[in-house]
Amino acid sequence: AFGASGVLRVLIAEDHSMMRTMLRAAVADLGHQVTTAEDGKIALQLMESNVFDVAFVDITMPNCNGDEAVRAYRQWEAVNRPSSLHICAMLDKSQSSLLPRLLREGFAAGLVKPIRAQDVIEHLAPLLSVANSHVTSPSMPMYTPSPGLPGPSTG
């Protein structure tokens, strides 16, 4: 179950080692289990072979961009696992206009760089509330695909 023990299983996919280390420390200091990936290909392999509650995925990474990895994961997930992974995009300021497309393609939220440890802590807080109450928070919805139903209007 999603964070059933109060401990979230978190994947951090980020190619910059200093950012990856800072994010890992911020999440681990909260008592959560952390796994890291340095590129999109490794992130995709980890998402398919492990169960995570939350993934923070950089959009621009070597070997496979974050958005490509998440698209491939959501396709795999649709066949192999019930959808529950909350994936947060990590974007540069210049990429913030991509967020609406990323939300349609399987991301649940986005953080714009520079990302501080406090940003990650604040992002995880509602997820812990959801996990502890077993009620979906309207401010932090879980990704749930709706096959056969029209998506939100982007007009």
Side-chain angles (χ1 to χ4, degrees):
F2 181 77
S5 66
V7 175
L8 297 174
R9 298 158 296 189
V10 180
L11 172 65
I12 297 169
E14 167 64 61
D15 58 321
H16 291 100
S17 62
M18 285 180 37
M19 177 66 82
R20 194 170 56 244
T21 300
M22 182 274 296
L23 294 171
R24 179 194 235 329
V27 174
D29 286 352
L30 294 172
H32 303 300
Q33 297 174 358
V34 184
T35 302
T36 61
E38 61 202 33
D39 67 41
K41 184 176 179 183
I42 294 169
L44 176 58
Q45 291 168 346
L46 287 168
M47 287 187 287
E48 290 177 350
S49 63
N50 297 276
V51 176
F52 295 103
D53 300 306
V54 182
F56 291 94
V57 179
D58 186 13
I59 295 305
T60 308
M61 291 188 289
N63 297 323
C64 177
N65 279 329
D67 57 338
E68 296 167 2
V70 169
R71 251 190 322 273
Y73 173 73
R74 291 297 189 201
Q75 290 172 355
W76 176 89
E77 181 184 56
V79 174
N80 296 286
R81 183 180 295 157
S83 177
S84 64
L85 179 56
H86 176 94
I87 304 176
C88 179
M90 296 188 293
L91 309 107
D92 291 327
K93 266 187 189 170
S94 65
Q95 298 170 313
S96 61
S97 64
L98 299 176
L99 190 55
R101 176 180 63 83
L102 296 173
L103 294 174
R104 286 190 308 271
E105 293 179 355
F107 285 86
L111 291 174
V112 177
K113 296 177 181 181
I115 298 169
R116 303 167 301 136
Q118 187 62 33
D119 298 328
V120 173
I121 292 167
E122 290 172 4
H123 188 82
L124 291 174
L127 297 175
L128 286 169
S129 297
V130 170
N132 293 333
S133 68
H134 303 291
V135 175
T136 301
S137 165
S139 64
M140 193 62 63
M142 299 307 301
Y143 172 77
T144 51
S146 300
L149 297 176
S153 173
T154 59

